[in-house]
């Protein structure tokens, strides 16, 4: 499965090996680990004619909505090879999900695997693609009055490292993914 964060150039993406029998909630957890999102915002999976979203007690659940804790990837993968995952409805991080092909493995894999990827995802709560573009402009300009503040603020997402938009370490993603049993 190829997952690409939309509306950002150059692209931020991951290529994943995921079992088809998982729920969409598990797929959400996999995406969170692969991109190193911090998983404190709502999410949905958007298909042409239905939505996979957690029920909200303040709104009526419609028949065109599926519960991600019960609905499985294998139920749609033959019919839909492309769909959208949105994380953080405020910032609106849309991820294009493309099912590339089914593979039979010689040995059973008990967790998802990141096969490849590029670039670090934007900091949480940066303000969507437009906010990320402004963030990058500021951190690339040491003369900008917000330069140091923005780099310090972004450390909440990097574990104390200086934010580097080009950074991606597949082994770190796979360590997080190894904690997700399928």
């Amino acid at each position: 499965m190829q997952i690409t964060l939309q509306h950002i150039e150059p692209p931020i993406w991951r290529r994943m090996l995921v079992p088809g029998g998982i729920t969409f909630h598990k797929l959400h957890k996999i995406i969170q680990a692969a991109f190193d999102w911090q998983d404190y915002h709502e999410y949905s999976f958007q298909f042409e004619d239905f939505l996979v979203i957690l029920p909200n007690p303040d709104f009526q659940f419609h028949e065109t909505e599926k519960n991600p804790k019960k609905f499985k990837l294998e139920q749609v993968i033959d019919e839909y090879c492309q769909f959208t995952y949105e994380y953080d409805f405020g910032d609106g991080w849309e991820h294009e999900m493309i099912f590339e092909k089914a593979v039979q493995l010689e040995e059973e894999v008990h967790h998802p695997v990141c096969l490849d990827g590029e670039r670090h995802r934007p900091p949480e709560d940066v303000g969507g693609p437009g906010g990320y573009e402004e963030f990058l402009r500021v951190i690339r300009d040491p003369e900008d009055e917000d330069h140091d503040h923005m780099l310090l603020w972004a450390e909440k997402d990097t574990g104390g490292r200086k934010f580097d938009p080009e950074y991606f370490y597949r082994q770190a993603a796979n360590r997080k993914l190894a904690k997700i049993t399928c």
Side-chain angles (χ1 to χ4, degrees):
M1 178 171 282
Q2 173 92 13
I3 308 168
T4 306
L5 191 54
Q6 298 295 281
H7 315 295
I8 294 179
E9 290 296 330
I12 300 169
W13 61 273
R14 306 290 182 264
R15 178 165 283 118
M16 306 292 302
L17 182 62
V18 298
I22 61 172
T23 65
F24 276 89
H25 184 69
K26 185 75 72 163
L27 181 57
H28 157 74
K29 294 294 187 184
I30 290 167
I31 298 165
Q32 291 290 303
F35 280 83
D36 198 26
W37 289 114
Q38 294 181 6
D39 196 13
Y40 59 85
H41 294 288
E42 293 183 290
Y43 69 93
S44 69
F45 292 91
Q46 300 156 12
F47 290 82
E48 191 174 301
D49 48 357
F50 65 93
L51 189 65
V52 179
I53 190 167
L54 284 171
N56 184 328
D58 297 331
F59 299 99
Q60 182 179 356
F61 203 63
H62 294 53
E63 70 252 3
T64 58
E65 296 175 335
K66 313 282 186 199
N67 186 329
K69 292 186 177 183
K70 298 177 181 176
F71 197 62
K72 292 189 174 189
L73 184 60
E74 66 189 1
Q75 293 175 264
V76 297
I77 209 64
D78 289 337
E79 188 174 345
Y80 300 93
C81 61
Q82 186 173 342
F83 53 96
T84 301
Y85 165 75
E86 183 176 355
Y87 171 65
D88 183 356
F89 299 156
D91 279 3
W93 296 116
E94 293 179 351
H95 303 69
E96 178 185 51
M97 312 284 295
I98 299 176
F99 178 72
E100 295 177 308
K101 65 181 176 177
V103 295
Q104 291 291 330
L105 301 176
E106 289 183 20
E107 58 184 71
E108 192 173 342
V109 177
H110 298 285
H111 59 80
V113 177
C114 181
L115 302 172
D116 202 1
E118 286 188 1
R119 305 186 71 232
H120 196 285
R121 57 117 177 122
E124 294 269 1
D125 304 318
V126 77
Y132 183 53
E133 188 176 309
E134 175 63 12
F135 168 80
L136 290 176
R137 184 196 67 72
V138 169
I139 67 166
R140 289 180 176 141
D141 180 4
E143 302 301 316
D144 190 290
E145 64 184 46
D146 291 328
H147 176 267
D148 293 342
H149 168 74
M150 291 299 260
L151 281 175
L152 185 63
W153 172 78
E155 285 182 9
K156 70 181 177 25
D157 285 34
T158 61
R161 284 187 341 272
K162 181 179 175 183
F163 185 88
D164 176 2
E166 300 305 317
Y167 176 83
F168 174 64
Y169 189 54
R170 187 171 48 90
Q171 289 80 357
N174 279 320
R175 278 194 295 276
K176 287 184 178 226
L177 289 163
K179 297 175 184 176
I180 301 174
T181 56
C182 294

